[in-house]
Amino acid sequence: MLNRFLWKYKKYPITISLIVICVIVYLISFFLFGEEMDALEGLYFGGFNPIYMVITHEYYRFITANFIHFGFLHLAMNCYSLYGLGMFIEKSLGIQKYLILIAVSALSTTGLPYLFYMLTGQGANVVSGGISGVIFGLIGALGALALHYRYVYMDIFKQLAPNIVLMLVISFLVPSISLSGHLSGLIGGFVCTYLLLMFKHQKRLIH
C-alpha cells in the first residue's frame, strides 16, 4: 500500500499532494468541529466570504478556502474527482504548467466571486470552501486541450461532457453548492491553459 502511494506520488506529485493536504485539513476540522462544519465554523476555519474579507483584509482566504471541506462526503467526492482528472491533466501538461493551472484555478474560484461582489454587492451571505472549483478548473483545462489538440483530446472531452453537464446542473439546482465558484474555476482553468498552450506554440514558431 505504501509502495503504491509512493509510486503514485513520484508520478503525480502535485495531484497527490493536493489530496493529502485536503485530507489533513479535514482531519484538523474533524477534531475541532466534528464530522461536518456549519457556515460559521467554515468561516472560522478559513472559508471564503467576500464581505468578511473586505472588513478583515484576510486575503489568505483566497487560497485556504480551496482546501477546507464541510463534511466527509464533500471531501470524498472532491478527492475522487481530483484523483482521476488531476493525474490525467498533470501528465498532459507537465508539472510546471500544471502548478500554474492549479494556482490560477484556485485564485479564480475565490477571486472572481470577490470581484463580482465588489462590483454588484451580490454573494455577501455565502461562505464557501472546497477544492471543487479547482476541479472545474481542470475541466476547463481539458476543454482548452481539446480545442488546441482536437485529434488527441476531443474524444476524451466528449466522453466526459455528460458528467460535466450534470455537475453544472447540480451546481445550479443545489443551493449549498457554490455555482459562482465552480464557474469561476472553470473559466480560470480554461483561460490559463489556453494561454499556456498558445505561449508554447509561439515559442516553437520563434525557434
Side-chain angles (χ1 to χ4, degrees), residues 51-187:
I51 193 169
Y52 188 80
M53 291 176 64
V54 170
I55 295 170
T56 63
H57 305 293
E58 294 177 351
Y59 299 116
Y60 63 83
R61 293 174 181 271
F62 284 127
I63 298 297
T64 58
N66 290 277
F67 295 99
I68 71 167
H69 289 84
F70 289 91
F72 178 76
L73 183 60
H74 186 203
L75 171 74
M77 290 179 63
N78 281 349
C79 286
Y80 177 78
S81 300
L82 180 59
Y83 181 80
L85 187 57
M87 289 192 296
F88 178 76
I89 301 297
E90 184 170 358
K91 184 177 180 180
S92 297
L93 292 180
I95 291 178
Q96 186 176 14
K97 290 184 176 64
Y98 186 65
L99 268 175
I100 295 172
L101 168 63
I102 294 296
V104 171
S105 298
L107 289 172
S108 297
T109 297
T110 48
L112 292 180
Y114 181 81
L115 291 175
F116 185 71
Y117 165 77
M118 297 295 288
L119 292 171
T120 67
Q122 296 185 31
N125 299 321
V126 175
V127 177
S128 62
I131 206 162
S132 54
V134 172
I135 294 167
F136 270 86
L138 299 180
I139 294 172
L142 181 58
L145 284 165
L147 188 64
H148 198 79
Y149 302 110
R150 295 175 186 267
Y151 298 105
V152 181
Y153 293 96
M154 185 58 75
D155 286 341
I156 300 171
F157 186 78
K158 287 179 179 178
Q159 290 174 17
L160 291 175
N163 293 328
I164 296 170
V165 172
L166 178 61
M167 292 170 71
L168 287 172
V169 169
I170 292 173
S171 300
F172 273 102
L173 296 179
V174 180
S176 60
I177 295 177
S178 175
L179 173 62
S180 62
H182 286 180
L183 290 177
S184 297
L186 183 73
I187 293 168

Side-chain angles (χ1 to χ4, degrees), residues 66 175 191 205:
N66 290 277
V191 172
L205 289 178

